Amino acid sequence: MHSRHLRYPGLFSLLLLVGACATAPAPVKSPETYFKEGEAAYASRHFEDAIAQFKKVKESYSNPELTAQAELKIADAHFDNGAFIEAAAAYEDFRKLHPSNEKAPYALYRLGVSNYNEITGIDTDQTAVKNSVHYLEMFLAQYPGSEYAADAKVKLADCRGKQLAYENYVGNFYLRTKKYPSAIKRLNEALQRFPGEPGLADTLFNLQQAYLKSGDTARADEVAKRLEAEYPAKARETKGEGAKPAAGKADELPMIIFK
């Protein structure tokens, strides 16, 4: 009886070993190894894999400097993967956690660009434009000599143009729907907010039409004179067109809530 229990001792030991191996956890790698694996995945444009490895570096809590590098790499991987909302959140987290880090200017610049890359049309939510202006202005105020300053200025100027285009869009909508007081208020505010912008030619023309249609011919004439003085090409273009508003699709605009 005893001999039957020991008939296959080698097989029994082998089964125990296999069972142990099947349930044993994967060996824990060093943060440096995870980081290198993340860099390799990033270089191969396997961004999700890279993010997973960089997160393991963060979770190790063993090396503050390497952890900071991993956090920035996570943001860059999201950015290069086209996930700009996630990238913006990661860059913002990096800035808050490491305000004195040498990469803080870069993170702020990329935060602005992440929002810039989320901008769509003028007939959609304008939060991305507003956020872009906020962060790009902050970046230029804090780091005017940065290597990224020139690009930030270009993008900021574009955002300003888009903001004015939106105001013209709303003003033209009010004009076409005969809400003249609302059009006048919106367009006058745009004149004050965006001095010197090329798009103000359309702002002035629409404002002139709003005053004219509201019956305030005196102010309509004042605006017409300003349009001719500041934007003569636009004034010549609009002569002979009567009370036709600036070209656009405002009469086809969806009923959105303007802010």
Side-chain angles (χ1 to χ4, degrees), residues 2-259:
H2 178 70
S3 61
R4 283 200 299 268
H5 284 290
L6 300 178
R7 189 172 181 180
Y8 304 107
L11 179 60
F12 182 70
S13 299
L14 180 60
L15 290 173
L16 287 176
L17 180 61
V18 170
C21 290
T23 59
V28 177
K29 301 175 185 178
S30 70
E32 290 76 13
T33 300
Y34 285 133
F35 190 86
K36 289 179 180 178
E37 290 178 351
E39 286 190 311
Y42 187 103
S44 300
R45 302 188 66 79
H46 297 150
F47 298 118
E48 294 297 333
D49 292 339
I51 291 169
Q53 296 308 103
F54 291 134
K55 283 183 176 179
K56 291 176 183 177
V57 177
K58 282 182 59 179
E59 292 163 1
S60 70
Y61 304 108
S62 62
N63 186 325
E65 183 178 348
L66 195 64
T67 297
Q69 292 180 44
E71 288 167 347
L72 191 57
K73 285 288 188 179
I74 289 171
D76 285 341
H78 281 307
F79 186 95
D80 289 342
N81 201 30
F84 299 116
I85 294 176
E86 292 81 358
Y91 286 125
E92 179 69 0
D93 286 344
F94 181 87
R95 290 181 59 246
K96 290 178 179 178
L97 292 170
H98 313 286
S100 61
N101 189 284
E102 63 178 359
K103 289 293 185 178
Y106 169 81
L108 179 55
Y109 162 72
R110 278 293 189 110
L111 176 55
V113 177
S114 295
N115 281 279
Y116 179 84
N117 288 341
E118 281 290 301
I119 296 173
T120 52
I122 63 170
D123 58 346
T124 59
D125 181 70
Q126 298 296 293
T127 301
V129 182
K130 181 180 178 181
N131 288 343
S132 297
V133 170
H134 174 73
Y135 290 118
L136 291 172
E137 284 184 339
M138 184 188 300
F139 170 77
L140 289 169
Q142 294 183 18
Y143 310 106
S146 168
E147 61 183 301
Y148 306 110
D151 183 64
K153 289 178 182 177
V154 171
K155 286 180 168 58
L156 178 58
D158 185 47
C159 288
R160 287 294 191 190
K162 284 178 167 59
Q163 285 184 312
L164 177 56
Y166 178 73
E167 296 305 310
N168 287 337
Y169 170 90
V170 177
N172 196 22
F173 175 85
Y174 287 142
L175 177 57
R176 286 181 177 270
T177 53
K178 300 182 181 181
K179 296 180 175 64
Y180 304 125
S182 295
I184 290 168
K185 180 177 183 296
R186 195 84 186 212
L187 294 167
N188 270 315
E189 288 174 352
L191 289 176
Q192 296 175 6
R193 287 180 59 198
F194 304 100
E197 285 289 335
L200 286 179
D202 289 333
T203 310
L204 287 167
F205 179 66
N206 284 339
L207 182 59
Q208 177 203 10
Q209 297 303 311
Y211 277 129
L212 193 63
K213 287 178 176 290
S214 70
D216 194 340
T217 56
R219 294 202 176 185
D221 289 342
E222 289 177 8
V223 176
K225 290 177 182 178
R226 179 176 172 181
L227 177 64
E228 189 160 359
E230 297 181 15
Y231 302 95
K234 180 68 176 181
R236 289 193 298 271
E237 175 190 332
T238 58
K239 281 181 180 178
E241 295 186 4
K244 179 182 177 182
K249 297 182 180 180
D251 46 359
E252 303 173 7
L253 297 179
M255 296 302 293
I256 60 175
I257 298 175
F258 301 122
K259 296 181 179 180

